[in-house]
Amino acid sequence: MFLPVSIMLGLFQIIIIGLGRLADNEENFMHRYDNFVGWILVVFNIGLYIYFMFGVYWTKEEIKNKKMDKFLNMLRVFGTIYFFAFPFLMVVSVFLLPYDMRAPVVEVGRVVSQCVGILTMAFVVTNKKGIYAEVN
């Protein structure tokens, strides 16, 4: 089930970005997500977060283990930060930043937040003394 869902999500994102490129000729766009594509991706991230939280909840209901519960709580915190980084950047850029600061904050913030999230989770699952090693 993971592979078909991953392929579908990848194709969906490619289509959305392609539509954004077609509408990219507007002069008032400050960055590549400063159109309907950015807001579709915000809704998409929130939907993925909801699905992620249901998965964590169902796993916690299925497995009653103290160590697993601790790991899932940590995963829930990291997942929340990861999935809400982009929506947070979009909202901050629209409502709190001047026009000339929107592009660097959103573009750099998205890359940095994704890299930090990926590296953090990679550290969590490869750490020999961490909670994941105890659960696994």
Side-chain angles (χ1 to χ4, degrees), residues 39-52:
W39 296 108
I40 288 174
L41 290 175
V42 165
V43 171
F44 187 62
N45 273 15
I46 292 171
L48 285 174
Y49 173 74
I50 292 168
Y51 182 71
F52 170 77

Side-chain angles (χ1 to χ4, degrees), residues 85-104:
F86 180 67
F88 175 76
L89 288 169
M90 286 293 290
V91 170
V92 165
S93 75
V94 169
F95 294 113
L96 300 176
L97 295 176
Y99 286 113
D100 60 338
M101 290 300 296
R102 287 183 183 180

Side-chain angles (χ1 to χ4, degrees), residues 20-29:
R21 296 280 186 224
L22 292 175
D24 202 19
N25 58 1
E26 297 290 327
E27 295 85 24
N28 58 352
F29 290 160

